[in-house]
Amino acid sequence: PDPKRILIVGLGGGSIATALKTLLPNAQVEVVEIDPAVTRVAKRYFNFSETPLVRVTELDGRVFVKRALRSGQKYDVVMLDAFDHEYIPEHLLTREFLTEVKGILGPRGVIVANTFSLSRLYDHESTTYAAVFGPYYQLMRENRVIVTRLDGLPPMAELKDRAARYATPLQRLGANASQLLDLFTSDVKIGRAH
């Protein structure tokens, strides 16, 4: 309900970190980005900026997660949004990696993963996420966003309460909370690979 520590693997233009600054101004947001050029572009062309509560570490996301696991760090939310020139780097799609991510989640920790709606890896991703985290929600548009938490899926009533809480700030960011909530489904169809 009120995340204090958030980890984002993959910076891109920095829009997720910037949105989180608006939605959760007191949360500590750590971003891991493997490519220093991506960080430079996000700062120069997308108005991304680091603050005392939002910082970027330039490192491979898998290495960062392994180190966080070893040092006992815990996050309330982990967001996976790393892509290379083709798709999500393969070493960030494995059961081993997702198990490490699970290990750095705090109690009731939430995982959010941005993938593609149509991918030859769709079935494999679905099976791997289910094997590590159990049931999950997904939001489907051009991309597929997988959402779950450690202690099982929250009931839809809880999601509606959360959506209502953030409706106004999300609207300022150009998102309609109730429309997004309508995209949530836990009915994952295997066999969508393309």
Side-chain angles (χ1 to χ4, degrees), residues 13 23 49 55 87 103 122 126 162 171 174 194:
L23 293 171
S49 62
R55 66 178 196 249
Y87 193 53
Y122 180 95
S126 299
R162 295 286 190 284
Q171 193 169 28
H194 287 79

Side-chain angles (χ1 to χ4, degrees), residues 9-180:
V9 177
L11 176 63
S15 58
I16 293 173
T18 301
L20 288 172
K21 262 196 289 195
T22 301
L23 293 171
L24 304 162
N26 298 317
Q28 178 185 6
V29 179
E30 293 182 64
V31 183
V32 182
E33 173 54 55
I34 194 170
D35 189 347
V38 170
T39 305
R40 286 193 302 273
V41 167
K43 289 178 177 179
R44 185 167 183 185
Y45 297 104
F46 293 93
N47 296 315
F48 171 75
S49 62
E50 292 183 77
T51 71
L53 289 176
V54 179
R55 66 178 196 249
V56 176
T57 300
E58 290 173 343
L59 189 66
D60 183 282
R62 181 96 186 241
V63 173
F64 185 95
V65 168
K66 280 183 178 292
R67 290 178 182 172
L69 185 61
R70 265 198 313 263
S71 65
Q73 294 183 53
K74 296 291 182 184
Y75 296 89
D76 300 311
V77 178
V78 174
M79 304 179 91
L80 303 177
D81 193 36
F83 291 87
D84 61 19
H85 64 286
E86 292 180 356
Y87 193 53
I88 300 166
E90 289 179 13
H91 67 290
L92 302 181
L93 288 172
T94 65
R95 181 183 289 215
E96 293 79 12
F97 174 67
L98 293 179
T99 300
E100 292 165 347
V101 168
K102 185 176 183 179
I104 63 171
L105 287 170
R108 296 181 56 121
V110 174
I111 177 94
V112 180
N114 185 18
T115 73
F116 288 168
S117 295
L118 298 174
S119 162
R120 63 182 175 77
L121 298 175
Y122 180 95
D123 292 344
H124 300 292
E125 290 170 2
S126 299
T127 302
T128 303
Y129 274 90
V132 175
F133 295 102
Y136 57 83
Y137 285 114
Q138 63 183 9
L139 293 85
M140 298 283 282
R141 279 207 175 150
E142 297 80 25
N143 284 23
R144 168 170 75 153
V145 178
I146 296 169
V147 182
T148 193
R149 70 176 183 202
L150 284 185
D151 63 348
L153 290 181
M156 192 53 74
E158 186 177 327
L159 292 177
K160 288 179 181 177
D161 286 345
R162 295 286 190 284
R165 178 178 174 188
Y166 292 106
T168 301
L170 280 169
Q171 193 169 28
R172 284 192 296 251
L173 294 170
N176 181 310
S178 62
Q179 285 178 348
L180 291 173

